[in-house]
Amino acid sequence: MRWLILALCGAALFIYARVADLELLGLLTKGIPVIALLLWLQQAPAGIYSRWIRIGLLCSLAGDILLDWPGDLFVFGLGAFLLAHLAYLRAYFSDCKRPAWPALIIALMVAGSMFSILASAGLGPLMIPVLCYATAIGAMLWRALARVNHPKINRKGAWLAAVGAVLFVLSDSMIGIDRFVAPFAAAPYAIILSYWLGQWAIGASAQQNFR
């Protein structure tokens, strides 16, 4: 409970910093919810799954800081979140390797649509990095969905991971749309709230995972 309180306080301070346009406060508080999640996961069962989830969270924390750091470090933030997706992909592969063709089709449609929308706006030199990122997102989403209803995986943990993956993809998609396609006023709040909820769902899956 104390880690949840810490996360909520950090989230509230960050939202306040965004509303009040306090850049330093925003930079100092943005990572608190993920830090609280990492501290909570110290109690998670040891294993390959939980280890890679924690690695993914650490990469996400780095991405949080890089995206808000003074100056344009978007590419470095993109790289950190790419590593986060790959870490989650590794976690999901650790206990489920079935093809799950319907999940693959859904993931391909989501990742393909995301890339097509962004590419239509003209990405210039970011075309290849964004393509790689969309591919990683699609793979991560595929493996998260593939674990749902697997007979040897905790049902609640699998659903938490899947919902978290969907929210993480949603957050990333809104970042791309806001930056490259059509900026919208609610973007900063919609992006961060879906991101935090997604990370907490993914982290909670490590607490429920049978390993």
Side-chain angles (χ1 to χ4, degrees):
M1 178 61 72
R2 66 182 184 276
W3 303 128
L4 178 59
I5 293 173
L6 175 62
L8 291 174
C9 289
L13 284 170
F14 177 76
I15 296 297
Y16 169 74
R18 277 292 171 89
V19 172
D21 197 24
L22 302 173
E23 292 186 8
L24 181 58
L25 180 61
L27 181 62
L28 293 174
T29 57
K30 187 179 183 183
I32 290 177
V34 174
I35 292 171
L37 179 54
L38 282 164
L39 293 171
W40 179 51
L41 286 182
Q42 289 181 331
Q43 306 167 13
I48 296 174
Y49 185 89
S50 60
R51 182 187 315 132
W52 282 100
I53 292 297
R54 283 192 289 264
I55 291 172
L57 288 169
L58 285 170
C59 293
S60 296
L61 179 60
D64 284 340
I65 296 170
L66 289 168
L67 287 184
D68 270 25
W69 197 264
D72 189 2
L73 298 181
F74 179 78
V75 173
F76 296 99
L78 192 72
F81 282 117
L82 173 63
L83 294 176
H85 285 297
L86 293 177
Y88 293 150
L89 173 63
R90 177 66 181 87
Y92 300 151
F93 253 130
S94 70
D95 56 14
C96 176
K97 296 178 176 61
R98 64 179 182 178
W101 300 115
L104 176 59
I105 292 171
I106 291 172
L108 285 172
M109 291 175 60
V110 170
S113 299
M114 174 184 172
F115 179 72
S116 297
I117 291 171
L118 298 180
S120 67
L123 295 172
L126 289 177
M127 181 71 74
I128 298 303
V130 171
L131 175 60
C132 293
Y133 195 81
T135 301
I137 281 180
M140 186 274 296
L141 180 61
W142 169 38
R143 297 319 306 167
L145 296 177
R147 299 173 73 248
V148 174
N149 295 327
H150 191 289
K152 295 184 178 180
I153 298 176
N154 177 281
R155 181 179 177 84
K156 183 177 180 181
W159 274 104
L160 281 168
V163 170
V166 169
L167 287 170
F168 200 176
V169 171
L170 175 63
S171 177
D172 280 345
S173 299
M174 287 191 289
I175 289 176
I177 291 170
D178 181 62
R179 184 179 179 91
F180 299 112
V181 182
F184 56 103
Y189 310 104
I191 289 167
I192 197 64
L193 290 175
S194 57
Y195 165 74
W196 280 332
L197 289 172
Q199 295 288 24
W200 270 83
I202 291 171
S205 75
Q207 293 281 23
Q208 297 291 329
N209 196 57
F210 78 102
R211 290 180 183 274

